[in-house]
Amino acid sequence: MSDTLERLMNCVELGKISKTSLFPPSLKGQDGADELCKLALDQGINPQVILNQALIPGMSKIGEKFSQGKAFVPEMLISAKAMTAAMKHLKPFFATGEIKRNGVFVLGTVMGDLHDIGKNIVAMTIEGSGWEVIDLGVDVKAEKFIEAIDKYPNCIVGLSALLTTTMVNMEIIVKEIKNKYPDKVILVGGAPLSQDFCNKIGASFYSPDPQGAVEFLKKFAA
């Protein structure tokens, strides 16, 4: 791996967004993910290589730490912001097809629930692993999920809920999606959920953390 890619990977993992970012203190004054991704392109490094060898491993590293309880929500958010700063330089290459997406992931917080921090972390983590993420936002009804599936028929769907009072709406949404798309793969997540609940409502997969979702999605990558 080139020195630039290694530094970029570390910036994503540690949450170094740009040269002016004060966090983390150990990298103060050094180039961040923003500058290093541009530098990698200027050095002629293939955009797909930048994604596969720097951005995805960087997000994977922080995701694994989060799963192990060695990193927490603030660290995940700052790493995701660093990844996003780098990704803006790669966006044109997705449009031209020079970088191939793994697939489309449609995500939303279910109806009645306005919480989005967990959803946002999942969205940025999955985007950082090479998927196109269609974020439907919060308080999303079944009809809106189905409209997105109509538009992206091969997509995988993610449902998020933070409250015990709104997680029950997942069952309604899963049922309505399955009525039209019986084989649709649906992931569920959120603080009050469990594998038993996932099984009960007929969802395909439950993960307590974003990295688990990333690992599950690997089997569906194009």
Side-chain angles (χ1 to χ4, degrees):
M1 181 189 295
S2 76
D3 176 67
T4 301
L5 290 181
E6 187 167 359
R7 290 169 63 203
L8 177 54
M9 179 183 68
N10 289 336
C11 283
V12 171
E13 179 188 356
L14 299 175
K16 177 66 172 174
I17 299 169
S18 66
K19 191 169 186 174
T20 58
S21 302
L22 299 179
F23 184 87
S26 60
L27 297 179
K28 184 178 179 180
Q30 298 182 31
D31 285 342
D34 185 3
E35 293 86 3
L36 289 170
C37 189
K38 183 178 184 302
L39 176 62
L41 290 169
D42 291 343
Q43 290 174 339
I45 300 175
N46 183 282
Q48 187 77 58
V49 171
I50 296 172
L51 179 68
N52 291 345
Q53 295 189 16
L55 302 190
I56 290 176
M59 284 304 295
S60 179
K61 282 173 178 283
I62 188 65
E64 288 169 6
K65 287 181 180 177
F66 185 80
S67 299
Q68 296 164 2
K70 297 177 181 177
F72 303 96
V73 169
E75 287 95 334
M76 283 293 295
L77 284 172
I78 198 76
S79 290
K81 288 181 179 179
M83 183 273 296
T84 300
M87 285 286 282
K88 73 181 182 184
H89 297 289
L90 301 185
K91 293 283 188 185
F93 300 99
F94 286 111
T96 62
E98 193 168 342
I99 301 180
K100 301 297 182 186
R101 292 283 197 186
N102 288 328
V104 177
F105 186 74
V106 171
L107 175 68
T109 302
V110 299
M111 57 184 180
D113 200 320
L114 301 178
H115 295 89
D116 66 355
I117 291 179
K119 172 188 66 64
N120 293 346
I121 291 175
V122 170
M124 290 184 282
T125 304
I126 289 176
E127 183 182 23
S129 68
W131 290 74
E132 179 180 0
V133 174
I134 309 299
D135 188 344
L136 302 180
V138 299
D139 192 22
V140 184
K141 296 179 173 61
E143 293 82 1
K144 193 169 181 182
F145 280 107
I146 290 170
E147 286 174 9
I149 298 168
D150 290 341
K151 187 174 181 181
Y152 304 98
N154 296 320
C155 73
I156 293 174
V157 177
L159 309 180
S160 174
L162 189 68
L163 306 173
T164 54
T165 52
T166 56
M167 64 186 267
V168 295
N169 292 332
M170 281 185 171
E171 186 169 8
I172 298 169
I173 293 171
V174 169
K175 184 177 180 180
E176 292 196 33
I177 291 173
K178 293 282 190 177
N179 280 341
K180 185 169 185 181
Y181 296 97
D183 299 323
K184 182 54 59 184
V185 177
I186 303 173
L187 282 66
V188 294
L193 273 68
S194 66
Q195 185 62 54
D196 286 344
F197 180 76
C198 172
N199 297 340
K200 174 179 175 288
I201 66 173
S204 311
F205 183 75
Y206 158 74
S207 176
D209 56 71
Q211 194 59 30
V214 168
E215 293 301 318
F216 176 76
L217 288 173
K218 284 180 179 178
K219 66 179 75 174
F220 301 99

